[in-house]
Amino acid sequence: MARRSLCFALVAIAAASADAAGRQVSFSKDIQPIFQASCWTCHGAVLQLSKLDLRTRESALKGGEHGSVLVPGKADRSRLYRLVAGIEKPGMPKNGKLTPEQVETIKLWIDQGAQWDAAAAPASANVASALGTDKPLPPEARNWWAFKKPVRPAVPVTSIERLNRNPVDAFLARAMESNGVKPAPPADRQTLLRRAYMDLIGLPPTLAQSEELLNDHSPDAWEKLIDRLLASPHYGERWGRHWLDVARYADSNGFEHDFDRPNAWRYRDYVIRSFNQDKPYNEFLREQIAGDELDPVTKDGLIATGFLRNYAKVGYREKYNPEFRYEYLDDMIATTGRGILGLTVQCARCHDHKFDPIPQTDYYRMQSSLFGYVEVDHPLTSPGEAQAYETKTAEINARVNEIRGKIRALEQPYRDILLPAKYKKFPQNVQDAIAIPEEKRTPGQQLLASQVIRTVSVSNAEIERIMKPEDLAEKRRLSEQVAAIEKERPKPIPVAMGVTDGDYRFTPDGPGDEPAPGKGVKREAIEGSFLHRGPGRYQAPPSYFLVRGDVNSPGPEMKPGFVSVITYGNPPVELPPASGHTSGRRRAMAEWLVSPDNPLTARVIVNRIWHHHFGRGIVATLDNFGKMGELPTHPELLDWLALEFVNRGWSIKSMHRLLMTSEAYKMKSQFNDESNMTKDPEDRLCWRFRIQRVDAEILRDSILAVSGSLNTEMFGRPVFPKLQPEFFAQTKEGIWLDREEGPEVWRRSVYIYRKRGLPFPLLDVFDLPNQNISCGARNVSNVPTQALALMNDEFVLRQAHLFANRLEESAPGDRQKQVELGYRLALNRPPEPEERKLAIEFLAQHQLVDFAHVLFNLNEFLYVR
């Protein structure tokens, strides 16, 4: 196929050639327009990719990294012609093909000597000015509903009196009436009890809690139940988990090495505490984007900056490839865009957004707002204690590093003997690249060599096997000195994984992405935190527009800014704190995000809350409110909720009360009205409650709660439930501590170690989300492996035994009472007469543990109705 296409191209060129015979080609009239449209963007004033500059005859004759491209008088030997004609690969230009007539014109021009006219205009001036400059928003850009500021509509009045008590019901009822759909009747109290418990705290009610509601006949019994659940410490564990999905939280780096993040759990605890405290959502966002820039700086604010640092990370240090930094910045922009704004801003990294009015310049202005970030572990102790720890640790590190340097010098000759043999397993071109001195390698050779050199190593055991006895004795003597010094190391102080502003620049031996020494930046304890302080006020590093998103193709320097289509007025782009220790750019971004003029932030979060209560968002695509997302089913209700949310002080608990006291929330789920099913089979109008499968963590937590073995201890370091040997084999990189099953690991699943390279198997099979990216709505699948896991997983079998023991202890030998109790504990209702009969017959032939196991496998146990 490729040969046929090339033949067609050559035939077309030959035909054009015949027509052009004898024509004199002018550079300014014939060639310059082609170069200006197709070549100078990458080989002109702003960029010279492959070090090739086509602006002048001299620079074109000089060529680039791959040699000469122009041989005047001989087009067939000129790579410029051969590339645009498709004779050589890669074909040029990259952004499309030239017409046969244009290719023939270039051929004739080269054959005629490739002359530049004296009158030729300065090359690429318009290209240079176009890159990185603002494009005015077209008049229709804000016509899309999501880009307009919400307007508070009047609450409608419906013909059904009970639906006029709550504005939510009034909006829904109007839509139902206009579509000829009738609402389902209310669900019974036992169904509502389980629904509320599983929804707000993710645990089934105990027998006492069930009796409390069922025996409370006061008019406000339902409202009191909601308030009790919102006051429960388990509320934050349930609803904090939703936000942790958005924040792509994990306890390890991910990628091939999947290194441990020993302090990531503090961010998880911060989120749980924030939800329990009903921290206003605008303050919650401010802390996560710019907690280190707020006045005053608090421990919560410092921990919260872990939101930006939750990205998956290659290796442990970045010094081997600074380009990864741009991937982490892209992740921050993607998470902020999708998670907070409901926009796919990251799609404008390499070009203007294809569907939404988000130009590439908006992306790089947002990147500029974040660009000065550096990773830092914020101390969570007094400034004096932090400084003393830092001083002592630095002293010990200096002594240890000096001795380790001597050990490395002793080992190096032996390492030089062993490494070449290991390199021989790689292809010859890789071996050749390694053999060339680093300063003489081409970029391609440098990449090949560095990838192998940093992954191939020699172990201590290998070195010691071939060491001379005197060298081995000296190494062991030095190692003993290191061990003695290490005993003087102070006990670690508590620190939080976060970010702040600093000097991100890399040095060959600098410590990864932490500020390089000697750059006028140092760590200093301020209100319990290490902030990066330089002389005078902090100056943010320059950030550049990247042509096609290529880090090797920088364009003009970019100033900080935001997504223009949703920016009203002229918000500040820098709000430096009084201390002057940071740029204030992230703080300005945070203020823009939570500004009353921002049309998306409040809409997106109330839509998320709605989704988790009702099983489907008013906008079904939770993280895409753009043109490729779904339209809202009830746009006026969404706007009313967004403005009501802001008016209520950005209180998430207030929204729970509003939504859960609606008749819509209290409807039956099993209401199969034929007319409704015909008119709205997907229940977009919310005429009945949507049945929802419980999240993976809630399934495990419910099993523990029902068996009576749940450890309700909150906060702290993650736990490591037991893995089977076949899974343990996958944990060679990073960590997974081998723990036995028992109360220590039977804590709520939000506290399980989140290993990116190995999601916990029982949770993974029940649709644990991808832990590397922000997740809005979890996937809900129904696959055989789920049934197999509930039937055969050792954890489930162990808990079934404990559940059976609980039933036996509560009702020794009484099958009737055991069946009754089993249903009430697992399903929060008594068994139906037929169910009771079948259970008794089942127990006549099977053990009590089998009955307990069956209850764990019931659909009703897995779903909220």
Side-chain angles (χ1 to χ4, degrees):
M1 188 68 184
R3 291 181 178 179
R4 186 179 298 175
S5 299
L6 178 58
C7 289
F8 287 155
L10 292 175
V11 169
I13 292 169
S17 178
D19 293 339
R23 177 165 65 92
Q24 187 65 34
V25 179
S26 163
F27 178 84
S28 58
K29 293 181 181 178
D30 301 316
I31 300 300
Q32 182 170 316
I34 299 174
F35 279 13
Q36 195 144 338
S38 303
C39 304
W40 284 340
T41 300
C42 299
H43 305 287
V46 178
L47 298 175
Q48 291 93 46
L49 296 186
S50 301
K51 298 184 179 178
L52 176 62
D53 186 351
L54 294 178
R55 288 177 295 166
T56 67
R57 191 172 193 270
E58 292 72 20
S59 60
L61 289 172
K62 180 180 178 183
E65 287 181 346
H66 305 295
S68 173
V69 297
L70 196 60
V71 182
K74 298 180 180 179
D76 59 334
R77 291 177 54 191
S78 299
R79 292 191 71 243
L80 173 62
Y81 164 70
R82 296 176 68 82
L83 289 169
V84 298
I87 299 171
E88 288 189 20
K89 300 297 180 185
M92 293 290 171
K94 286 186 176 180
N95 59 350
K97 293 182 179 180
L98 301 184
T99 66
E101 292 78 11
Q102 290 173 321
V103 173
E104 176 58 23
T105 298
I106 290 175
K107 182 178 185 300
L108 285 174
W109 171 67
I110 296 174
D111 283 338
Q112 292 171 8
Q115 297 298 321
W116 261 255
D117 298 349
S124 295
N126 66 328
V127 176
S129 62
L131 287 173
T133 58
D134 285 321
K135 300 175 183 177
L137 283 173
E140 68 278 6
R142 286 190 172 131
N143 288 348
W144 185 248
W145 71 271
F147 304 148
K148 299 175 183 177
K149 291 196 283 187
V151 176
R152 190 180 185 90
V155 177
V157 177
T158 76
S159 60
I160 305 174
E161 181 57 33
R162 70 184 178 92
L163 301 183
N164 288 323
R165 300 171 194 154
N166 187 310
V168 170
D169 293 319
F171 281 105
L172 294 177
R174 182 174 64 180
M176 283 187 270
E177 287 176 350
S178 63
N179 286 275
V181 171
K182 59 184 179 182
D188 62 78
R189 286 165 70 87
Q190 287 170 326
T191 298
L192 291 178
L193 176 73
R194 177 176 171 82
R195 185 183 296 176
Y197 267 83
M198 299 299 281
D199 196 353
L200 284 183
I201 68 170
L203 294 172
T206 65
L207 295 179
Q209 290 166 339
S210 297
E211 292 300 320
E212 186 176 5
L213 176 70
L214 298 178
N215 294 328
D216 186 351
H217 300 289
S218 60
D220 61 346
W222 178 248
E223 288 76 7
K224 288 189 294 185
L225 171 66
I226 293 171
D227 285 341
R228 282 199 302 274
L229 293 175
L230 291 176
S232 167
H234 297 307
Y235 161 78
E237 294 172 324
R238 170 63 173 142
W239 278 79
R241 179 64 262 171
H242 293 318
W243 183 257
L244 293 173
D245 282 359
V246 174
R248 76 269 190 243
Y249 166 78
D251 292 294
S252 69
N253 276 359
F255 294 105
E256 69 271 29
H257 297 299
D258 209 16
F259 288 116
D260 177 42
R261 291 179 169 176
N263 297 295
W265 58 272
R266 295 189 192 277
Y267 174 78
R268 174 248 290 154
D269 286 358
Y270 157 81
V271 170
I272 294 171
R273 283 197 309 272
S274 295
F275 273 88
N276 278 338
Q277 295 164 0
D278 196 21
K279 182 173 290 184
Y281 183 66
N282 56 347
E283 187 62 25
F284 184 58
L285 292 184
R286 284 191 186 101
E287 289 179 342
Q288 292 179 87
I289 302 296
D292 61 311
E293 296 193 304
L294 301 178
D295 291 320
V297 175
T298 65
K299 288 182 180 179
D300 258 11
L302 297 174
I303 296 169
T305 61
F307 171 80
L308 292 176
R309 195 174 159 185
N310 277 336
Y311 46 75
K313 182 174 179 178
V314 178
Y316 185 65
R317 300 292 192 187
E318 291 182 21
K319 66 180 180 180
Y320 298 109
N321 193 342
E323 293 181 10
F324 290 146
R325 177 180 179 81
Y326 290 91
E327 300 303 319
Y328 308 149
L329 284 162
D330 183 68
D331 179 276
M332 293 181 195
I333 292 170
T335 302
T336 303
R338 294 173 55 207
I340 299 174
L341 295 171
L343 289 178
T344 53
V345 182
Q346 77 278 9
C347 292
R349 180 182 183 181
C350 304
H351 47 69
D352 291 349
H353 200 290
K354 295 296 185 183
F355 305 104
D356 298 329
I358 304 175
Q360 197 177 0
T361 48
D362 281 2
Y363 176 93
Y364 285 102
R365 292 196 190 286
M366 285 193 71
Q367 187 184 89
S368 181
S369 297
L370 298 166
F371 198 75
Y373 93 94
V374 291
E375 295 182 357
V376 63
D377 290 331
H378 294 292
L380 303 176
T381 186
S382 67
E385 187 178 350
Q387 191 60 58
Y389 174 81
E390 185 80 355
T391 301
K392 183 64 175 176
T393 300
E395 175 206 331
I396 289 175
N397 287 343
R399 293 161 60 194
V400 167
N401 289 340
E402 180 182 358
I403 299 172
R404 284 179 176 162
K406 294 177 182 178
I407 294 175
R408 282 194 297 271
L410 267 177
E411 293 176 335
Q412 194 59 47
Y414 303 101
R415 190 174 283 108
D416 292 340
I417 293 171
L418 294 168
L419 279 173
K422 295 198 171 193
Y423 293 150
K424 285 182 179 179
K425 67 180 181 181
F426 294 95
Q428 189 60 47
N429 63 328
V430 175
Q431 296 181 47
D432 293 342
I434 294 171
I436 296 171
E438 185 174 355
E439 65 277 5
K440 295 183 179 180
R441 293 174 189 151
T442 66
Q445 291 170 333
Q446 183 65 41
L447 180 62
L448 283 174
S450 64
Q451 286 178 332
V452 173
I453 290 172
R454 71 186 175 112
T455 55
V456 175
S457 61
V458 178
S459 69
N460 283 331
E462 289 174 304
I463 292 174
E464 291 179 359
R465 274 198 296 267
I466 66 170
M467 279 185 113
K468 295 177 181 178
E470 60 270 25
D471 288 342
L472 182 57
E474 177 63 10
K475 178 188 174 182
R476 289 176 176 169
R477 187 184 68 82
L478 293 171
S479 298
E480 288 172 0
Q481 290 182 17
V482 170
I485 296 172
E486 285 292 348
K487 291 179 180 178
E488 302 174 28
R489 190 176 293 277
K491 182 181 178 182
I493 59 175
V495 296
M497 183 187 85
V499 303
T500 189
D501 283 354
D503 190 334
Y504 71 92
R505 287 173 287 184
F506 300 87
T507 57
D509 56 353
D513 64 339
E514 293 194 12
K519 301 291 186 180
V521 178
K522 70 173 182 177
R523 285 177 160 186
E524 184 159 336
I526 298 176
E527 296 190 35
S529 164
F530 282 149
L531 299 183
H532 295 273
R533 172 180 288 181
R537 300 189 70 84
Y538 171 79
Q539 295 295 320
S543 173
Y544 297 94
F545 182 95
L546 301 182
V547 179
R548 298 194 186 96
D550 183 358
V551 299
N552 296 310
S553 305
E557 183 178 345
M558 298 300 293
K559 300 300 181 185
F562 316 118
V563 180
S564 52
V565 73
I566 56 170
T567 300
Y568 288 82
N570 189 29
V573 295
E574 291 185 351
L575 290 170
S579 66
H581 298 153
T582 59
S583 67
R585 291 182 175 186
R586 284 180 289 110
R587 182 178 181 180
M589 176 185 283
E591 294 298 340
W592 167 73
L593 287 170
V594 301
S595 165
D597 289 328
N598 190 310
L600 283 174
T601 303
R603 276 178 173 144
V604 169
I605 187 60
V606 297
N607 188 63
R608 288 189 189 281
I609 298 170
W610 184 281
H611 165 84
H612 292 306
H613 280 309
F614 292 98
R616 186 186 191 277
I618 295 174
V619 177
T621 48
L622 303 192
D623 49 11
N624 191 354
F625 279 40
K627 295 180 180 178
M628 296 305 290
E630 294 257 2
L631 288 169
T633 55
H634 301 79
E636 287 190 338
L637 172 58
L638 181 61
D639 280 7
W640 187 89
L641 288 171
L643 294 172
E644 184 70 10
F645 177 61
V646 174
N647 290 343
R648 294 188 182 201
W650 300 76
S651 166
I652 290 177
K653 286 189 176 181
S654 179
M655 296 308 294
H656 292 313
R657 293 186 184 95
L658 175 66
L659 299 182
M660 293 180 70
T661 54
S662 69
E663 294 299 316
Y665 186 82
K666 293 183 282 187
M667 287 179 186
K668 276 187 173 182
S669 58
Q670 294 172 304
F671 177 64
N672 300 319
D673 183 88
E674 289 188 11
S675 175
N676 286 6
M677 292 293 291
T678 301
K679 294 173 182 176
D680 183 23
E682 296 183 4
D683 192 23
R684 290 173 177 263
L685 298 175
C686 296
W687 50 269
R688 65 178 176 182
F689 189 81
R690 189 181 298 266
I691 296 174
Q692 301 172 51
R693 217 268 312 279
V694 298
D695 289 342
E697 296 93 334
I698 305 311
L699 173 60
R700 178 179 176 274
D701 294 350
S702 297
I703 291 174
L704 288 168
V706 170
S707 73
S709 60
L710 179 65
N711 176 354
T712 59
E713 179 187 349
M714 296 182 66
F715 306 127
R717 297 186 182 278
V719 297
F720 296 82
K722 186 174 181 60
L723 284 179
Q724 299 309 307
E726 59 268 28
F727 293 115
F728 235 124
Q730 303 176 41
T731 65
K732 294 177 181 177
E733 301 293 347
I735 68 166
W736 187 278
L737 304 181
D738 189 12
R739 297 286 188 258
E740 289 299 319
E741 283 292 298
E744 179 188 351
V745 300
W746 289 343
R747 297 175 61 197
R748 294 206 64 174
S749 302
V750 71
Y751 300 113
I752 290 178
Y753 187 86
R754 299 297 290 256
K755 186 176 176 64
R756 283 190 162 104
L758 180 65
F760 188 63
L762 180 62
L763 304 186
D764 194 35
V765 76
F766 282 96
D767 303 309
L768 193 72
N770 184 338
Q771 299 170 119
N772 295 302
I773 59 175
S774 176
C775 171
R778 292 189 177 192
N779 182 49
V780 179
S781 65
N782 187 7
V783 294
T785 46
Q786 293 167 350
L788 291 170
L790 288 177
M791 289 171 62
N792 301 307
D793 187 270
E794 286 194 12
F795 164 79
V796 179
L797 296 174
R798 175 79 177 274
Q799 296 304 315
H801 276 279
L802 293 174
F803 185 19
N805 292 343
R806 183 181 185 184
L807 298 178
E808 180 63 34
E809 290 172 4
S810 300
D814 191 331
R815 293 307 197 204
Q816 291 282 353
K817 288 185 178 179
Q818 289 170 354
V819 169
E820 176 83 12
L821 182 60
Y823 268 81
R824 287 189 179 277
L825 287 171
L827 307 180
N828 311 118
R829 65 171 179 83
E832 299 291 339
E834 182 64 21
E835 290 173 325
R836 187 189 303 274
K837 176 175 175 292
L838 288 172
I840 296 298
E841 292 174 355
F842 178 85
L843 284 170
Q845 302 177 43
H846 298 83
Q847 297 180 351
L848 187 56
V849 65
D850 299 320
F851 170 68
H853 195 194
V854 167
L855 289 176
F856 286 158
N857 280 266
L858 292 177
N859 264 359
E860 192 173 344
F861 188 74
L862 273 69
Y863 287 83
V864 174
R865 302 180 184 277

